[in-house]
Amino acid sequence: MELVFFFLGLAALIVVVLGLFALGWRGRRRRQQDTPRPRPLPDELSDPGFQALGQYVATTTAGDWLDRVAVYGLGVKSNATAAVFPEGVLFARSGADDLWIPRQDLHSVRLERGMTGKFVEKDGLVIVTWQLGPKRVDTGFRTRSADEKTPLVRAITELLPESATPSEEQL
């Protein structure tokens, strides 16, 4: 009988913890309701210059990797393909809306160890910093193949204005 009470108590604790997570996420979404929706994918695109399979990690406030952007599904991890077009960068996500970042909104790209929800080896994540309305944000992407990280960074770097181009040490 004690075992039954133990498992009932454990189940109740799990339900409470999940409820608190849901309340926190809902509060974050309410606080971020003034965040504009990302721009829609253009009707016409050139052929992509580079594509890589991997995992979309999340979008966070730039420089604050624990502050996920909860609105529009931007804070949700999913499998994705990163495609670099002359017009911008597309993260085609499974189970979530695609994320289109127009070229003019791009600020920088770099390799990092991690961000919210994903920490890996040194320089294991591609981080794209871009402008979402008045807010600067970071989007993380983990390539499936380690050999695709540097080419992805180089392809995005080619889209950046000259003043934002990273040095060779950053690649």
Side-chain angles (χ1 to χ4, degrees):
M1 191 62 144
E2 288 179 16
L3 196 58
V4 171
F5 286 126
F6 172 76
F7 283 113
L8 285 175
L10 185 62
L13 180 64
I14 290 171
V15 168
V16 167
V17 168
L18 290 176
L20 290 173
F21 281 142
L23 282 173
W25 193 254
R26 188 169 49 176
R28 179 179 296 269
R29 287 179 50 196
R30 190 173 45 252
R31 287 189 306 274
Q32 295 175 349
Q33 68 186 357
D34 61 339
T35 302
R37 182 175 289 282
R39 296 185 196 222
L41 186 64
D43 293 332
E44 300 274 333
L45 283 174
S46 306
D47 291 331
F50 184 80
Q51 293 186 66
L53 294 175
Q55 183 179 59
Y56 170 90
V57 177
T59 296
T60 64
T61 300
D64 185 357
W65 294 351
L66 296 178
D67 186 23
R68 286 183 195 238
V69 176
V71 292
Y72 314 119
L74 295 176
V76 180
K77 196 181 298 186
S78 64
N79 289 327
T81 300
V84 181
F85 296 86
E87 300 88 356
V89 179
L90 172 66
F91 293 101
R93 304 185 300 160
S94 300
D97 291 341
D98 294 343
L99 174 60
W100 170 250
I101 305 171
R103 181 180 195 154
Q104 66 268 21
D105 291 344
L106 292 169
H107 282 283
S108 64
V109 60
R110 66 191 180 282
L111 295 173
E112 291 287 345
R113 178 174 295 255
M115 68 185 314
T116 185
K118 189 75 164 182
F119 286 88
V120 294
E121 77 279 357
K122 183 177 188 239
D123 297 336
L125 287 180
V126 175
I127 307 292
V128 179
T129 302
W130 57 286
Q131 199 70 33
L132 178 58
K135 188 176 194 172
R136 191 167 290 190
V137 295
D138 288 331
T139 294
F141 184 78
R142 167 90 165 157
T143 59
R144 185 168 294 159
S145 169
D147 296 341
E148 293 180 327
K149 287 184 296 192
T150 300
L152 178 58
V153 170
R154 287 186 196 277
I156 296 172
T157 298
E158 291 175 11
L159 299 180
L160 300 175
E162 280 298 315
S163 61
T165 303
S167 64
E168 282 299 313
E169 299 91 47
Q170 292 173 307
L171 296 179

